[in-house]
Amino acid sequence: KNQVEQSPQSLIILEGKNCTLQCNYTVSPFSNLRWYKQDTGRGPVSLTIMTFSENTKSNGRYTATLDADTKQSSLHITASQLSDSASYICVVRNDYKLSFGAGTTVTVRA
Amino acid sequence: EAQVTQNPRYLITVTGKKLTVTCSQNMNHEYMSWYRQDPGLGLRQIYYSMNVEVTDKGDVPEGYKVSRKEKRNFPLILESPSPNQTSLYFCASSPRAGLRNEQFFGPGTRLTVL
């Protein structure tokens, strides 16, 4: 069964600090992995997409990594801001289907 | 502005009363999809459509219907809603169903079935 597990379920960090979110998957065969940011009351918005051959991709203060051998991805947030408070969803695609993680809720406090 | 719109944004109804949630996109996208989001479960696909007049079941289609008569619209129909359909619903679209195509999500519809 294709599964995507994210950890931690939630975390609280102080403004300006860094944090790392984890995504482990069993999806096979692997096509790509995308991280979405979902603000409260809004739909998810794509942050990055990574394919098998890419192991790091950045989007501003967000950096995603992918280890296709161990089927793990991480999303690192650098110098967090209050606007980073959101849920972050890992989505893994095989040839024909998307599998969604349950998300990690990040709260940034001043 | 390129966007996916959903209506209504909030809806409280009673068991058995038929309802429709509309979804419209102005990006000329071929692929559209409906998801429900429940705490701890993440997004689960209900139905999707590869193009006009082409629809197929996702992971949790029971109790839902869809239609795709026009490219821009993809309504979600609950013929006889039940309390277990209380959820947050998202419509999404992408240019095609291709492997790298990003899905653009609507703002969500929060449905409560009493």
Side-chain angles (χ1 to χ4, degrees), chain A residues 32 34 36 38 41-44 46 49 51 93 95 97-98 100-102, chain B residues 9 35 37 40 42-43 59 90 97-103 105-107:
Chain A
N32 60 57
R34 199 182 281 273
Y36 282 86
Q38 184 177 16
R42 308 285 294 272
S46 177
I49 179 174
T51 58
R93 182 169 201 141
D95 287 346
K97 186 178 172 60
L98 294 173
F100 291 81
Chain B
R9 294 290 313 279
Y35 298 89
Q37 187 177 39
L43 286 155
D59 297 318
F90 288 99
L99 297 180
R100 288 188 64 90
N101 279 317
E102 174 185 353
Q103 289 200 66
F105 286 83

Side-chain angles (χ1 to χ4, degrees), chain B residues 34-48:
Chain B
W34 275 103
Y35 298 89
R36 60 178 290 173
Q37 187 177 39
D38 302 291
L41 295 180
L43 286 155
R44 292 180 293 168
Q45 191 177 49
I46 302 170
Y47 268 95
Y48 64 94

Side-chain angles (χ1 to χ4, degrees), chain A residues 51-94:
Chain A
T51 58
F52 187 87
S53 59
E54 298 169 309
N55 54 25
T56 303
K57 185 169 282 188
S58 292
N59 177 0
R61 294 179 296 100
Y62 300 102
T63 299
T65 66
L66 174 67
D67 185 334
D69 292 331
T70 62
K71 298 188 175 183
Q72 296 179 324
S73 177
S74 65
L75 181 69
H76 186 75
I77 305 175
T78 303
S80 61
Q81 300 177 359
L82 296 178
S83 60
D84 293 329
S85 294
S87 288
Y88 293 84
I89 302 170
C90 175
V91 184
V92 184
R93 182 169 201 141
N94 64 10

Side-chain angles (χ1 to χ4, degrees), chain B residues 7-102:
Chain B
N7 282 292
R9 294 290 313 279
Y10 302 91
L11 178 60
I12 300 174
T13 189
V14 296
T15 299
K17 186 176 181 182
K18 181 179 178 180
L19 66 92
T20 299
V21 183
T22 65
C23 172
S24 183
Q25 50 91 6
N26 61 2
M27 297 170 279
N28 201 36
H29 285 173
E30 291 184 356
Y31 182 89
M32 298 186 73
S33 181
W34 275 103
Y35 298 89
R36 60 178 290 173
Q37 187 177 39
D38 302 291
L41 295 180
L43 286 155
R44 292 180 293 168
Q45 191 177 49
I46 302 170
Y47 268 95
Y48 64 94
S49 170
M50 303 281 276
N51 212 326
V52 176
E53 300 293 1
V54 181
T55 63
D56 210 344
K57 296 178 181 179
D59 297 318
V60 288
E62 294 77 21
Y64 305 95
K65 288 175 57 178
V66 293
S67 68
R68 187 90 182 272
K69 294 183 170 58
E70 307 166 277
K71 198 171 190 177
R72 64 183 293 130
N73 296 323
F74 190 44
L76 179 70
I77 304 157
L78 284 71
E79 294 271 4
S80 182
S82 62
N84 64 12
Q85 293 178 298
T86 293
S87 187
L88 180 58
Y89 291 86
F90 288 99
C91 180
S93 72
S94 64
R96 287 181 179 79
L99 297 180
R100 288 188 64 90
N101 279 317
E102 174 185 353

